[in-house]
Amino acid sequence: MARSLSAAALLPLLRTLADGAWHSGAVLAREAGITRAALAKRVRKLQQWGVAIETQPGRGCRLAQPLELLDAARIRDALPAAWRDPVTVRVLPSTDSTNSQLMAAGAGDPQVLLAEHQTAGRGRQGRAWHSPFGANLYMSLAWTWPQWPAAVTALPLAAGVATAQALAALALPGVRLKWPNDLWCGDAKLGGILIEQRGEASGACRVVIGLGLNVAMRGAPATAIDQPWTTLTDCAGTVPSRNALAARILAHWLDMLERFGAEGFAPFASAFRELDLTHGRAVTVRLPEGSVGGIARGVDGTGALLVDTGEAQRRIFSGDVSLRLAS
Ligand code: BTN
């Protein structure tokens, strides 16, 4: 019976190819102790994950671009000293969804899971999140507060603020937030955040914050993403390594979560206002019961979007916002 290839079998091959140089198929197969046919199968599996591998008769194979793999120890070591001990960081080559994995995980928060590739990445509003191998960041953090913080409904906005501030601290400015927490650069989406939460029997509140950030994504199939998208390498030019990006974003998230638990959304409200892409602009909000059009007037203390329809001010708690260009 054909067995499916495990990530553990594929990782050594990836590590060898990560330098972007040509590697002879005969040598790769010999080093792995497998046949050429088995090697070809591994290469095909990596290509299915979205790894761009070129093959050429006589030369073997190479990655289209050199790749620095995510590294849990490097990420943890780059965290501020105060967070290094309490936080557990893990990296998987491939998983269904880092959010799903952490939602199902037991004790041990704060814990972080990153994956090079997701087979069932999830976005807001039940959408899929396109997650090709090695190009982007797919990262989730699970955190538990002993009791529910005030205005937890505004946590997605505070998470967006913390992420945009982390990117600005890495000299990647210009990222704005489209309510509630889409990261935009120019007029395209750079990343998104999915927050899931549940109450524990003890009265504690557990949240999982998941970020999908396009870092160096190329050629996503048009069917995979249903809105204009961009990637850090296009909107910011030189980009730090994904390990450095992950560590800086995590550091900002952890500080934000600690403060949010004590003070709620208030300390993040003015930063959200400055980053808010829609403030004062004509928007359309798609709701299950139909669309609402009007001028966006910022958010209230619960994180609800305020839309002035001309007749009333509507509070929007969940939905898809799009900018109306002819405003
Ligand atoms: C959005 O719709 O904008 C939110 C996208 C969130 C995607 C990230 S990728 C890491 C984590 N795991 C998931 O399945 N989703 C989030």
Side-chain angles (χ1 to χ4, degrees):
M1 193 177 70
R3 282 189 305 142
S4 79
L5 278 165
S6 73
L10 296 169
L11 255 189
L13 173 60
L14 253 178
R15 289 207 181 95
T16 307
L17 293 177
D19 60 7
W22 287 105
H23 291 267
S24 127
V27 175
L28 288 172
R30 194 173 56 242
E31 282 173 355
I34 55 178
T35 62
R36 294 289 291 275
L39 176 72
K41 206 166 145 199
R42 290 183 186 191
V43 168
R44 275 197 306 278
K45 181 72 184 179
L46 289 173
Q47 286 169 329
Q48 279 165 21
W49 282 2
V51 187
I53 302 182
E54 298 168 358
T55 55
Q56 239 179 57
R59 295 185 91 178
C61 55
R62 71 169 181 186
L63 294 190
Q65 286 157 354
L67 173 67
E68 186 196 283
L69 290 166
L70 291 169
D71 180 330
R74 279 188 61 190
I75 295 170
R76 190 176 158 275
D77 290 351
L79 289 176
W83 288 119
R84 236 170 269 150
D85 279 341
V87 176
T88 313
V89 180
R90 284 183 303 139
V91 172
L92 293 175
S94 180
T95 189
D96 53 355
S97 146
T98 54
N99 260 43
S100 302
Q101 290 293 320
L102 284 191
M103 282 302 286
D109 296 349
Q111 51 188 313
V112 178
L113 182 64
L114 298 102
E116 293 283 10
H117 168 249
Q118 297 184 118
T119 53
R122 294 183 290 115
R124 289 178 56 245
Q125 312 276 340
R127 290 200 181 88
W129 189 258
H130 181 58
S131 310
F133 189 97
N136 301 321
L137 270 186
Y138 319 116
M139 172 168 84
S140 300
L141 164 67
W143 174 276
T144 299
W145 286 294
Q147 59 220 2
W148 287 76
V152 77
T153 46
L155 178 64
L157 285 65
V161 167
T163 311
Q165 288 177 338
L167 295 175
L170 285 166
L172 303 167
V175 174
R176 310 281 301 279
L177 296 174
K178 185 161 80 60
W179 185 88
N181 54 19
D182 278 1
L183 298 152
W184 274 52
C185 184
D187 44 20
K189 181 162 169 170
L190 178 66
I193 296 172
L194 175 68
I195 299 201
E196 297 176 284
Q197 66 198 45
R198 67 159 182 255
E200 304 288 347
S202 62
C205 168
R206 183 164 195 264
V207 291
V208 171
I209 304 181
L211 169 71
L213 181 69
N214 302 334
V215 179
M217 186 149 76
R218 289 278 158 257
T223 47
I225 308 181
D226 63 357
Q227 55 191 319
W229 61 271
T230 186
T231 188
L232 265 185
T233 44
D234 286 347
C235 76
T238 315
V239 172
S241 80
R242 290 181 304 143
N243 289 307
L245 272 170
R248 185 62 72 101
I249 293 167
L250 275 176
H252 277 72
W253 280 4
L254 290 159
D255 289 345
M256 177 277 293
L257 286 162
E258 196 170 58
R259 191 151 188 216
F260 197 99
E263 300 174 60
F265 180 55
F268 306 97
S270 71
F272 184 84
R273 200 159 35 247
E274 273 166 34
L275 292 162
D276 184 357
L277 183 70
T278 59
H279 199 113
R281 297 177 70 179
V283 294
T284 302
V285 188
R286 246 196 355 255
L287 302 168
E289 65 272 21
S291 290
V292 173
I295 306 296
R297 299 285 183 215
V299 299
D300 68 11
T302 70
L305 176 70
L306 305 175
V307 177
D308 183 350
T309 64
E311 286 154 14
Q313 181 150 279
R314 291 274 308 256
R315 293 173 74 213
I316 310 287
F317 300 98
S318 129
D320 261 339
V321 178
S322 54
L323 286 165
R324 277 195 269 140
L325 293 177
S327 59

